[in-house]
Amino acid sequence: MSKSLFRELLDKEASPALGCTEPMMFALGGAITRKYAPGKVLRVDMVGCGLMVTGVQAVGIPKTGGKTGAFLAAAVGIVNGDVDACKEVLRNVTPEDVKSAEELVKSATFTLDMDNSTGKQVYFKLTLTTDQHVATVIFEDEHHTWTYLEVDGEVVVDNRRPVGEMLIPANDIDWNEFTIENAYNWCKTAPISEFGRAKEAVEMNYIVAKDGLENPRGMGIQTAKVLQDNVKSGFVADDEITEVLIWGTAGADARMGGSDYPTMVSTASGNQGLMVVMGPWASAKYRKMSDEDGYRAVAFALLMNTYMKYLSKEYVYMPPTCSCATTSAPAAAAGVAFLHGLTPQQINDMLCTSQVQMCGVVCDGAKPSCAFRMFVALFGALEAMMMAEKGIRATNVEGFVHDDLKVTLENIYRLQHDVLHNKVDAILWDIVKEQKTIH
């Protein structure tokens, strides 16, 4: 077994990003087109796949004080987005820039609609029209990957791929090598120098989680802080599970509210990065274990999240089910199980059982209440861990669950592909329009 595979996966799928992926993409699209289309802004026309256009509506935009919406996210990117910073495109935005962006939304025409016809799970197109130029950018497959750029009718970049060739990282993985047992053994035995990414993730995500506990913002969903307050009042016990739940969800509270701090994402998701990093880290600190033990557990959790998400195939970066609940919560619990000394087989059993409670829970867009759903999933996954430790698990007579996690996730993929694909987000977009929350 090559140890480099797991280090490569950590380096590839754990990277810094500022803000939720949807407003980041809208801002980056605005910044890119503005670079090629100076002049007075007349129109900003945007279309995207269902979860793009719904997910941008309710989450806070970094550097704006928790303001929300597709129009403002794009406008802030147009006003002062840093194209070179990519996933941290909004890092230089000032309060004055926000005011300018709000004025731009009032003075120019902004439109937004859904387009599911491309077959891509991640798709977003923004066209900026000024009194001098017209520029169009298209993102596909990943939230930060723009594959097409057209300026004044001339194609500048065209790296688009047909649906049959869309990005599916699972196709490039040796699944005989990427197993729960091999990842577990690598995290147990590799030199500590291999875990630099995990250390960076802890340092970065601790700040965001602390922000969620100390600076409530947005729409008032404060899953972690309410739990922490009830510990102080004596209503909830101050134990290891409570600490894991608090720190595992606090970062999502902050990020969905528009935290100004960057997050180390896990497989394209900042919320998932926050949970799979801070859950095991909180367990290690509560148990007074060494930093090295904590970093190894965090790395294992990150790898387990990638393992489960890769088995979503083309849905790896934007599934119709809620991967914050179905993969990141079990992955975070796997990191805790790693610290408790569960075996790879017990962890497999725990992860399978975890799918019983959340399988089929759809993603209805990024929003402040995501942290609450993640809390529920993490609590259940920790219970599954305790059951696995005693030899208790869901078996292959229970719905989608199979004795092996890989087969379980392949069964859930069939649900996503054959039942949910392009249907959930179409219904959700209709509801968003009915509720008149598009902005």
Side-chain angles (χ1 to χ4, degrees), residues 92-418:
N92 297 325
V93 169
T94 67
E96 290 72 25
D97 295 328
V98 177
K99 291 179 183 178
S100 298
E102 290 175 323
E103 288 301 316
L104 179 59
V105 172
K106 294 177 183 177
S107 63
T109 298
F110 282 73
T111 68
L112 177 67
D113 207 349
M114 183 183 74
D115 180 4
N116 270 346
S117 66
T118 67
K120 299 276 189 172
Q121 278 306 105
V122 176
Y123 176 80
F124 176 61
K125 175 182 177 182
L126 184 149
T127 298
L128 173 63
T129 303
T130 73
D131 59 354
Q132 301 175 29
H133 302 279
V134 178
T136 296
V137 66
I138 295 175
F139 294 76
E140 294 180 319
D141 295 335
E142 295 179 285
H143 294 78
H144 64 283
T145 303
W146 50 283
T147 58
Y148 181 84
L149 177 65
E150 179 183 305
V151 180
D152 295 332
E154 180 180 346
V155 176
V156 179
V157 174
D158 190 354
N159 295 322
R160 292 174 296 175
R161 295 184 289 189
V163 173
E165 298 176 14
M166 75 172 69
L167 179 67
I168 303 178
N171 293 344
D172 299 323
I173 288 291
D174 180 353
W175 289 101
N176 291 318
E177 187 170 359
F178 192 15
T179 65
I180 295 173
E181 183 174 8
N182 286 347
Y184 181 97
N185 291 336
W186 182 80
C187 289
K188 283 285 188 183
T189 61
I192 190 59
S193 59
E194 294 289 293
F195 297 93
R197 184 66 89 191
K199 183 174 185 293
E200 291 176 41
V202 169
E203 292 171 348
M204 183 175 292
N205 289 3
Y206 173 79
I207 293 171
V208 183
K210 194 165 180 286
D211 185 32
L213 292 171
E214 296 180 352
N215 302 296
R217 58 170 63 76
M219 297 172 64
I221 302 295
Q222 301 167 27
T223 307
K225 189 176 187 305
V226 167
L227 186 59
Q228 186 182 64
D229 289 345
N230 278 277
V231 170
K232 293 176 182 177
S233 72
F235 184 66
V236 176
D238 183 11
D239 55 26
E240 182 181 351
I241 283 183
T242 301
E243 284 295 295
V244 171
L245 291 169
I246 288 172
W247 288 96
T249 55
D253 279 331
R255 185 168 172 271
M256 294 294 93
S259 176
D260 294 337
Y261 299 105
T263 297
M264 186 70 78
V265 308
S266 174
T267 321
S269 171
N271 277 2
Q272 292 172 48
L274 287 157
M275 177 164 276
V276 300
V277 168
M278 294 311 302
W281 186 253
S283 174
K285 293 300 99 180
Y286 186 90
R287 295 166 64 82
K288 295 182 170 54
M289 301 178 78
S290 68
D291 286 356
E292 178 175 332
D293 288 332
Y295 296 142
R296 291 179 182 276
V298 166
F300 182 66
L302 286 165
L303 288 169
M304 287 300 93
N305 196 48
T306 297
Y307 178 88
M308 289 189 283
K309 290 192 71 177
Y310 272 20
L311 288 169
S312 297
K313 301 179 184 178
E314 67 263 34
Y315 306 122
V316 57
Y317 297 127
M318 183 57 70
T321 56
C322 175
S323 53
C324 290
T326 59
T327 63
S328 69
V336 176
F338 182 91
L339 292 168
H340 278 253
L342 271 68
T343 67
Q345 182 59 52
Q346 288 174 318
I347 291 171
N348 170 84
D349 295 346
M350 175 203 78
L351 294 173
C352 288
T353 302
S354 296
Q355 296 304 313
V356 171
Q357 62 155 353
M358 302 306 288
C359 172
V361 175
V362 300
C363 177
D364 54 350
K367 56 201 172 300
S369 57
C370 283
F372 179 66
R373 181 180 289 178
M374 293 167 69
F375 163 87
V376 172
L378 181 56
F379 186 88
L382 291 168
E383 175 68 15
M385 179 194 83
M386 291 185 283
M387 290 193 290
E389 196 169 18
K390 295 183 179 297
I392 303 168
R393 58 151 296 164
T395 66
N396 61 358
V397 299
E398 300 177 60
F400 291 95
V401 174
H402 185 273
D403 289 342
D404 181 76
L405 177 64
K406 190 170 183 289
V407 180
T408 298
L409 294 172
E410 288 170 350
N411 292 341
I412 295 173
Y413 167 79
R414 291 164 61 187
L415 169 69
Q416 297 186 90
H417 186 273
D418 297 344

Side-chain angles (χ1 to χ4, degrees), residues 22-30 46 52-53 56 70 73-74 112 124 126:
E22 283 82 8
M24 177 274 291
M25 175 187 280
F26 280 65
L28 185 56
M46 299 170 285
M52 291 295 99
V53 295
V56 74
L112 177 67
F124 176 61
L126 184 149

